[in-house]
Amino acid sequence: MVGRYDGYQDEETKLKDAIKLLDAKQKLLDNYTQQNNLKLQKVLMLVIAPSIEEAESIRTSLIVNCEFPPENILQVDSSKITDNLAQELQNIDNPHNPTRIIIAVGMLKEG
């Protein structure tokens, strides 16, 4: 959990802070697994959105404002459920899977 003394005034700041934390956690995990001769692991970030529109807005903000690679973002909502998505979710923990951020809508069958 991370917070700011001045609070969060906008979504962009929250997302940028979350990406910094994601990267820091990955570095720590990489060091730990290397020092202990463990299998490579991947850190993921989960963002819960209240609607498909908000999920799409978050995805756009990550790409445009945070300059996060789109191939590293997976959006999960009822408009995107396919066999390919199900397969990708099955392999989400694979270190070679490019997904680092998952944006999910709070409830499936959302409007």
Side-chain angles (χ1 to χ4, degrees):
M1 172 95 24
V2 175
R4 289 178 166 257
Y5 289 111
D6 60 350
Y8 284 105
Q9 302 303 318
D10 62 279
E11 181 179 281
E12 183 180 335
T13 302
K14 290 179 193 180
L15 292 173
K16 285 181 177 180
D17 283 355
I19 291 169
K20 287 179 187 175
L21 183 59
L22 178 71
D23 291 339
K25 285 181 175 184
Q26 187 65 60
K27 286 178 186 171
L28 288 171
L29 184 59
D30 289 345
N31 288 337
Y32 179 82
T33 56
Q34 185 178 25
Q35 290 172 358
N36 293 286
N37 296 319
L38 299 171
K39 187 173 78 171
L40 184 65
Q41 298 289 315
K42 180 171 72 170
V43 176
L44 294 167
M45 181 169 94
L46 176 64
V47 179
I48 305 295
S51 68
I52 292 173
E53 293 78 20
E54 183 69 20
E56 290 170 353
S57 173
I58 291 167
R59 185 176 197 286
T60 300
S61 183
L62 284 166
I63 295 166
V64 174
N65 300 328
C66 302
E67 300 177 358
F68 201 81
E71 62 272 9
N72 297 136
I73 303 169
L74 180 64
Q75 185 175 330
V76 179
D77 60 59
S78 61
S79 73
K80 301 206 177 346
I81 294 178
T82 64
D83 290 339
N84 289 341
L85 176 63
Q87 183 63 37
E88 189 165 351
L89 287 170
Q90 287 291 324
N91 296 319
I92 201 75
D93 290 330
N94 182 330
H96 303 292
N97 181 317
T99 300
R100 296 188 62 218
I101 297 177
I102 302 166
I103 304 170
V105 175
M107 295 189 293
L108 292 178
K109 301 292 184 192
E110 67 287 338

